[in-house]
């Protein structure tokens, strides 16, 4: 196991990054998604949270460093995944998730939750509409893989059996779907006037 951890801490690129690609970050994410998830799982040991952290890292890098050169983006992704993993462990997220389950069971006795501001509601509706449009435009297999994984909580193997494809194809489809949604949301944020003020 130690050898696997050493390999995970000094990852090597399995495919060359096309430096002239219009979107090198998406290329890195699509081709190294599995390696990033393994890198994260070696630290937090929760497969679904590891996937979430990798996707969070991708979105963070997309927002903050989209204009960085390709050779820097890969290192930034791994560093961000490592930092998110450390924050995850420090935050006691696992313990918090258990407490949240207990609280939701007692939901009838709790006071009403904080309500978002009208501005936040509008922004949330806009983001949701963009995400839904992006999902609707995906190929049926990619859309189904994403929905089965995110909404129904099925594993890659379960989705692969249901869609009659390999688990690797399912992983790729989900990674690409998340990348497409992130690109759409990022593009919309750049087009929103006054966002950088």
């Amino acid at each position: 196991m130690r050898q696997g951890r050493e390999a995970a801490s000094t990852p090597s690129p399995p495919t060359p990054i096309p430096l002239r690609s219009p979107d090198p970050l998406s290329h890195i994410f699509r081709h190294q998604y599995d390696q990033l998830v393994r890198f994260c799982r070696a630290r937090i040991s929760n497969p679904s949270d590891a996937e979430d952290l990798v996707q969070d890292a991708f979105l963070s890098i997309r927002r903050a460093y989209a204009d960085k050169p390709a050779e820097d983006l890969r290192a930034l992704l791994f560093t961000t995944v490592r930092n998110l993993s450390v924050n995850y462990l420090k935050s006691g997220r696992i313990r918090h998730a258990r407490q949240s389950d207990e609280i939701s069971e007692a939901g009838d006795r709790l006071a009403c939750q904080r309500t978002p501001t009208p501005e936040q509601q509008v922004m949330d509706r806009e983001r949701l509409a963009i995400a839904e449009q992006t999902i609707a435009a995906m190929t049926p297999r990619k859309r189904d893989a994403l929905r089965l994984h995110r909404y129904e909580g099925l594993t890659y193997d379960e989705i692969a059996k249901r869609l009659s494809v390999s688990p690797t194809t399912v992983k790729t489809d989900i990674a690409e779907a998340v990348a497409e949604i992130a690109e759409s949301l990022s593009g919309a944020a750049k087009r929103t006037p006054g966002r950088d003020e």
Side-chain angles (χ1 to χ4, degrees):
M1 191 67 185
R2 179 175 293 173
Q3 184 179 8
R5 287 190 182 192
E6 287 171 5
S9 63
T10 55
S12 59
T15 56
I17 301 166
L19 298 179
R20 293 188 180 176
S21 167
D23 190 359
L25 184 58
S26 290
H27 177 84
I28 294 167
F29 185 76
R30 287 181 178 124
H31 289 87
Q32 296 197 263
Y33 177 78
D34 289 342
Q35 187 180 8
L36 285 160
V37 171
R38 283 193 306 273
F39 178 75
C40 189
R41 280 185 67 182
R43 285 152 177 75
I44 69 168
S45 73
N46 182 316
S48 83
D49 283 351
E51 289 173 26
D52 289 344
L53 292 178
V54 168
Q55 292 164 9
D56 289 347
F58 173 75
L59 293 173
S60 296
I61 297 297
R62 163 86 54 207
R63 281 192 294 265
Y65 302 108
D67 298 332
K68 284 268 188 194
E71 57 271 11
D72 294 344
L73 292 173
R74 184 174 176 278
L76 281 167
L77 262 176
F78 278 93
T79 300
T80 303
V81 168
R82 186 190 67 227
N83 292 343
L84 288 172
S85 301
V86 169
N87 292 344
Y88 170 94
L89 294 170
K90 284 182 180 176
S91 71
R93 188 164 158 186
I94 297 168
R95 186 176 68 249
H96 187 276
R98 283 194 206 115
Q99 291 171 342
S100 293
D101 290 342
E102 293 168 6
I103 290 171
S104 66
E105 291 172 9
D108 293 338
R109 296 184 298 248
L110 296 176
C112 69
Q113 299 175 346
R114 287 184 314 203
T115 54
T117 65
E119 294 83 7
Q120 186 63 48
Q121 290 175 342
V122 169
M123 287 180 2
D124 289 347
R125 278 195 296 270
E126 289 171 357
R127 284 190 205 115
L128 180 60
I130 292 166
E132 286 175 344
Q133 287 172 348
T134 305
I135 292 169
M138 291 176 185
T139 62
R141 189 186 74 201
K142 194 182 294 183
R143 184 172 54 240
D144 291 343
L146 179 67
R147 288 194 168 138
L148 290 170
H149 183 63
R150 287 297 181 176
Y151 300 135
E152 295 187 27
L154 299 183
T155 65
Y156 292 146
D157 289 334
E158 292 168 335
I159 297 168
K161 287 177 188 167
R162 200 178 277 196
L163 299 181
S164 301
V165 296
S166 72
T168 303
T169 299
V170 171
K171 289 179 190 177
T172 301
D173 283 347
I174 291 170
E176 289 181 359
V178 170
E180 286 177 26
I181 293 168
E183 288 166 17
S184 296
L185 292 172
S186 176
K190 288 177 185 173
R191 290 190 299 271
T192 302
R195 183 60 69 96
D196 294 326
E197 293 174 5

